């Protein structure tokens, strides 16, 4: 049995530093979403080549999740976050200065590598500094701050890009990476005194194999991966790259109006994140219904938009789609609420890394497929976006297959104690 972390004002201060790093990483990650058409003009590339920017970035991000989880479990949060901040800042600056498509690709890959080190680290800060009953809310709050970074990309970077030009906009934004690096180095701590994780056993090879094997053996970890896979990618693909071209080229909207709809997705995400966090924190039984309900509603709205008779869908339907897409991010965080109680504290980073791979693998697959289908069909967005339904069907089938075993395993006494810890030395209790 482990003691609940204390929480309190110092926990909020330390966690806020980590979240600020994640906030900047999301700004850099999503900056291409508002600059997709500009990037196509700047580097003279087609839809498939444009999709490669985001595809490579997500490929690096997804591929780094398990290594990052292992690094967090072995080295601690501060070292991993610091390295991540350095890498994504250099990547954003390199993207600003790249004179060619190849160099720009390399810069986005570097950015993706640094970005990959942020979210798992922030989740680890939450579990090490706050009581377990706060876990779902802290994870949703971290996701909410990330969406605020997306909002900055949409509302701030987009007009700056069109005002001062490519190089000045992206190079100027890279300064934010240096700003968050200072308090990170000076003030962030991995955990409160007396609440450190169990020391890892010596022998790197054995440690890596054991962490991955034991994390994957838990059905809760696998269920978390598939929940994340199924829920996250529709909104991620829309915001990261294809939303703006779809709204402008297929729906005939102006860039200003399309930007407003992208902002609506982010605003909806932020509002729903608080709701989802409170609901899951109070009723663990709501996790599966929330996840599957979000998937079903997303599929319904996408089908309505793509199948709407006529060349374009009405504005009210596009607005409804964007509001529903806002629930994808909060629903994806539910995946971590399955992985967290299934694994002990010393394995949380690895388990979170496995879970976090899900949505980014789905996003990467969809980004590439949409780009290829657009080129193959002469920019037929209805055919291209039908990819969404295939991946959602795959994910739902896996969630239904794993849910009973994962929930039964989670109810075992030693695992239940991870979600509801015993009173600590100060007399604090779990939920």
């Amino acid at each position: 049995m482990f003691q609940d972390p204390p929480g309190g004002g110092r926990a909020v201060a330390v966690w806020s530093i980590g979240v600020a790093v994640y906030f900047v990483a999301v700004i850099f990650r999503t900056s291409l979403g508002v600059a997709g058409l500009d990037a196509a003009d700047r580097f003279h590339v087609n839809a498939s080549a444009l999709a490669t920017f985001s595809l490579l970035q997500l490929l690096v991000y997804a591929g780094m999740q398990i290594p990052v989880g292992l690094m967090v479990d072995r080295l601690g949060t501060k070292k991993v976050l610091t390295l991540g901040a350095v890498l994504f800042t250099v990547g954003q600056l390199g993207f600003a200065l790249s004179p060619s498509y190849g160099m720009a690709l390399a810069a986005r890959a570097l950015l993706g590598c640094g970005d990959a080190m942020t979210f798992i680290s922030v989740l680890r800060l939450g579990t090490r500094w706050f009581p377990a009953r706060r876990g779902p809310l802290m994870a949703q709050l971290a996701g909410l701050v990330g969406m605020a970074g997306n909002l900055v990309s949409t509302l701030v970077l987009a007009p700056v890009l069109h005002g001062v030009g490519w190089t000045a906009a992206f190079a100027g934004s890279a300064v934010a990476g240096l700003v968050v690096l200072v308090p990170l180095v000076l003030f962030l701590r991995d955990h409160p005194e007396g609440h450190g994780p169990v020391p890892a056993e010596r022998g790197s090879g054995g440690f890596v194999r054991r962490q991955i094997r034991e994390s994957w053996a838990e059905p809760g970890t696998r269920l978390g991966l598939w929940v994340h896979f199924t829920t996250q990618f529709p909104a991620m693909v829309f915001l990261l790259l294809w939303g703006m071209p779809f709204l402008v080229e297929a729906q005939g909207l102006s860039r200003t109006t399309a930007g407003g709809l992208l902002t609506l997705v982010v605003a909806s995400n932020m509002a729903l994140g608080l709701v989802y966090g409170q609901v899951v924190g109070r009723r663990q039984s709501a996790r599966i219904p929330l996840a599957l309900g979000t998937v079903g509603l997303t599929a319904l709205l996408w089908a309505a938009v793509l199948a709407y008779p006529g060349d374009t869908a009405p504005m009210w339907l596009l607005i409804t789609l964007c509001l529903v897409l806002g629930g994808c991010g909060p629903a994806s965080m539910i995946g971590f609420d399955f992985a967290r109680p299934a694994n002990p504290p010393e394995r949380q980073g690895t388990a979170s890394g496995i879970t976090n791979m899900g949505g980014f693998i789905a996003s990467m697959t969809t980004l590439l497929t949409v780009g290829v289908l657009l080129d193959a069909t002469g920019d037929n967005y209805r055919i291209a976006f039908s990819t969404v339904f295939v991946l959602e069907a795959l994910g739902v089938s896996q969630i239904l297959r794993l849910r009973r075993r994962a929930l039964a395993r989670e109810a075992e006494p030693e695992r239940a104690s991870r979600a509801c810890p015993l009173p600590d030395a100060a007399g604090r209790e779990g939920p």
Side-chain angles (χ1 to χ4, degrees):
M1 299 296 184
F2 64 94
Q3 291 184 346
D4 235 359
R10 188 181 179 202
V12 172
V14 171
W15 180 81
S16 297
I17 294 172
V19 169
V21 177
Y22 175 57
F23 173 76
V24 174
V26 173
I27 294 176
F28 292 177
R29 178 202 304 170
T30 58
S31 58
L32 186 61
V34 297
L37 298 176
D38 300 87
D41 292 338
R42 178 179 176 87
F43 299 112
H44 309 291
V45 294
N46 60 15
S48 297
L50 181 61
T52 303
F53 275 123
S54 296
L55 176 65
L56 178 62
Q57 184 178 333
L58 290 184
L59 178 63
V60 172
Y61 188 104
M64 285 291 293
Q65 288 308 292
I66 292 179
V68 168
L70 291 165
M71 289 169 64
V72 169
D73 286 338
R74 191 65 181 267
L75 302 178
T77 304
K78 182 173 182 175
K79 293 179 181 178
V80 177
L81 263 183
T82 301
L83 178 59
V86 171
L87 291 177
F88 68 60
T89 300
V90 173
Q92 184 77 342
L93 182 60
F95 193 59
L97 303 177
S98 295
S100 66
Y101 176 69
M103 291 186 66
L105 276 178
R108 294 305 285 187
L110 189 63
L111 192 157
C113 185
D115 181 21
M117 299 180 180
T118 59
F119 187 63
I120 300 301
S121 298
V122 171
L123 287 180
R124 178 59 176 256
L125 281 178
T127 61
R128 299 315 302 165
W129 281 91
F130 292 94
R133 66 183 181 275
R134 302 295 184 194
L137 180 59
M138 301 313 297
Q140 291 288 355
L141 287 175
L144 186 151
V145 172
M147 291 310 297
N150 202 324
L151 196 62
V152 169
S153 291
T154 305
L155 296 180
V156 178
L157 186 59
V160 170
L161 176 65
H162 298 139
V164 302
W166 180 281
T167 301
F170 280 98
S173 67
V175 175
L178 299 177
V179 172
V180 296
L181 192 58
V182 175
L184 168 60
V185 172
L186 295 179
F187 302 115
L188 190 132
R189 298 293 180 269
D190 287 349
H191 51 76
E193 293 182 9
H195 292 269
V198 176
E201 297 180 12
R202 295 297 176 184
S204 176
F207 171 79
V208 170
R209 288 192 298 270
R210 185 180 64 256
Q211 289 287 94
I212 296 175
R213 182 181 65 251
E214 293 179 357
S215 295
W216 184 255
E218 293 292 345
T221 304
R222 301 198 300 277
L223 178 60
L225 179 146
W226 284 107
V227 168
H228 200 268
F229 176 101
T230 313
T231 54
Q232 187 203 46
F233 79 93
M236 176 68 74
V237 169
F238 196 79
L239 290 171
L240 198 60
L241 183 61
W242 291 122
M244 180 70 77
F246 170 73
L247 294 172
V248 173
E249 297 177 352
Q251 299 300 315
L253 303 180
S254 67
R255 287 197 181 196
T256 301
T257 303
L261 288 176
L262 294 180
T263 303
L264 183 61
V265 177
V266 177
S268 174
N269 184 298
M270 296 174 70
L272 291 174
L274 293 175
V275 176
Y276 278 47
Q278 290 289 352
V279 170
V280 173
R282 295 174 185 272
R283 294 180 61 86
Q284 291 285 287
S285 60
R287 291 174 295 177
I288 291 291
L290 270 179
L292 292 180
T294 302
V295 173
L297 197 55
T298 302
L300 177 64
L301 265 297
W302 261 121
V305 169
L306 297 178
Y308 193 85
D311 294 333
T312 60
M315 180 58 70
W316 66 265
L317 186 54
L318 294 175
I319 290 174
T320 306
L321 171 66
C322 290
L323 289 172
V324 170
L325 286 175
C328 292
S332 72
M333 303 301 294
I334 295 173
F336 299 102
D337 294 318
F338 287 110
R340 186 184 303 112
N343 293 273
E346 63 271 16
R347 219 165 54 218
Q348 290 293 324
T350 305
S352 296
I354 293 173
T355 299
N356 207 30
M357 285 178 61
F360 289 92
I361 290 173
S363 298
M364 180 174 58
T365 303
T366 308
L367 281 169
L368 176 61
T369 306
V370 169
V372 171
L373 289 175
L374 285 175
D375 286 339
T377 61
D379 293 336
N380 188 322
Y381 280 89
R382 290 184 175 180
I383 294 176
F385 273 109
S386 296
T387 308
V388 171
F389 307 119
V390 177
L391 268 69
E392 284 187 329
L394 172 62
V396 168
S397 69
Q398 294 301 312
I399 292 172
L400 295 177
R401 181 178 68 86
L402 289 165
R403 75 188 192 285
R404 289 182 181 175
R405 184 180 174 193
L407 293 176
R409 183 89 162 146
E410 186 179 299
E412 295 174 3
E414 70 274 13
R415 287 168 176 78
S417 69
R418 294 172 192 153
C420 303
L422 295 177
D424 64 15
R428 304 180 185 89
E429 296 181 357

